[in-house]
Amino acid sequence: MMREIERFLAALSFFTRLPVPGGHSGAGLDGAARYLPLVGIVVGGIGAAVTWASAWALPLSLAVIAGMAATILATGAFHEDGFSDACDGFGGGWEKAQVLAIMKDPRVGSYGAIGVALMLLAKWNALMEIANEALPLALIAAHAMSRFAATTLMFSLDYVREEGKSKPVAKRMGAGDLAVAGAFGLAPCLLLPYTETLVALAATALATFLCARTFVRRIGGVTGDCLGATQQVAELAFYIGFLVQWNSG
């Protein structure tokens, strides 16, 4: 049990900026990826709590922005940065070496800046359309499931860089690790409306498949930036899928 707690704390330390005793090390990250969806529950919970609290004093539009900002602060824009780098790499590079080189460049290019701006705008609009009573749980579920989406790529695809800060945690997962991640990813969904959630999960699965197909076709696998991009795309897909049924009901 203590070993699993250490793995969760290592995942929380690596994927967020929340204060965690002991931090993390390469060895400590072994098996930590199974708890990435649980980290998503924590981050989504922070966003939901800030949104709910802010809505008591602010218009919902500003409360949603406050909740989004809280999740970004909690993670240090970890996944948004990966999405930005992936936009630059796959948008500006042609060959595998070019794509990888551009993603490694710390500078933000046009594709990255525009991509993040559109992603945040799309998420804000989607969250504004979700009914108030479902919004907090939808936030938590989307953050959990989108991180589970990233773990499915860790399970099924090769990590194509020889080195990188994400390599210790992004190495191939076992079936047991994936099962644990799936349990945490699906848990918040059990509290949401059944039909809407099924469509949201289908949309998340489709978005994850399309991301994986692009990564394999272009670079033969994934990098840490690809995993971050998958989380962002899958999170948005969950909101959009949830809205398809919610608005038709």
Side-chain angles (χ1 to χ4, degrees):
M1 178 61 72
M2 284 302 301
R3 177 58 176 157
E4 296 307 310
I5 293 174
E6 289 173 0
R7 283 173 169 165
F8 167 63
L9 293 177
L12 194 65
S13 175
F14 185 84
F15 290 108
T16 75
R17 289 187 173 178
L18 300 176
V20 177
H24 67 268
S25 63
L29 288 171
D30 179 37
R34 70 179 69 176
Y35 294 112
L36 182 52
L38 181 54
V39 172
I41 291 176
V42 173
V43 174
I46 291 171
V50 171
T51 300
W52 178 81
S54 300
W56 285 91
L58 298 172
L60 182 61
S61 58
L62 293 179
V64 169
I65 290 176
M68 291 175 62
T71 64
I72 292 171
L73 287 173
T75 62
F78 190 84
H79 303 293
E80 288 81 4
D81 180 66
F83 178 74
S84 173
D85 288 341
C87 288
D88 279 334
F90 289 98
W94 293 95
E95 302 295 331
K96 174 181 176 179
Q98 289 179 308
V99 175
L100 292 176
I102 293 172
M103 284 197 290
K104 193 174 183 179
D105 191 328
R107 294 172 294 182
V108 178
S110 299
Y111 287 107
I114 294 170
V116 167
L118 290 177
M119 175 59 72
L120 293 175
L121 182 61
K123 286 197 285 189
W124 179 82
N125 275 279
L127 289 169
M128 284 295 296
E129 294 297 324
I130 295 176
N132 290 357
E133 61 269 25
L135 181 56
L137 278 175
L139 257 170
I140 296 171
H143 276 274
M145 274 307 303
S146 60
R147 284 162 172 80
F148 174 61
T151 65
T152 64
L153 270 59
M154 295 182 200
F155 175 77
S156 58
L157 302 181
D158 293 324
Y159 191 83
V160 297
R161 287 197 189 277
E162 291 298 321
E163 58 184 18
K165 66 179 183 179
S166 297
K167 188 171 184 178
V169 73
K171 64 183 182 180
R172 281 290 185 96
M173 300 172 60
D177 295 322
L178 188 66
V180 172
F184 285 118
L186 288 169
C189 297
L190 299 177
L191 303 176
L192 286 167
Y194 178 75
T195 304
E196 292 88 335
T197 304
L198 282 181
V199 179
L201 292 176
T204 303
L206 177 60
T208 305
F209 170 77
L210 293 175
C211 285
R213 182 181 180 185
T214 299
F215 301 150
V216 170
R217 181 171 57 87
R218 296 291 302 278
I219 62 174
V222 295
T223 68
D225 290 328
C226 295
L227 298 174
T230 300
Q231 185 278 320
Q232 289 289 289
V233 173
E235 182 189 344
L236 176 60
F238 187 96
Y239 298 141
I240 292 173
F242 192 82
L243 283 169
V244 169
Q245 284 297 313
W246 190 270
N247 286 337
S248 66

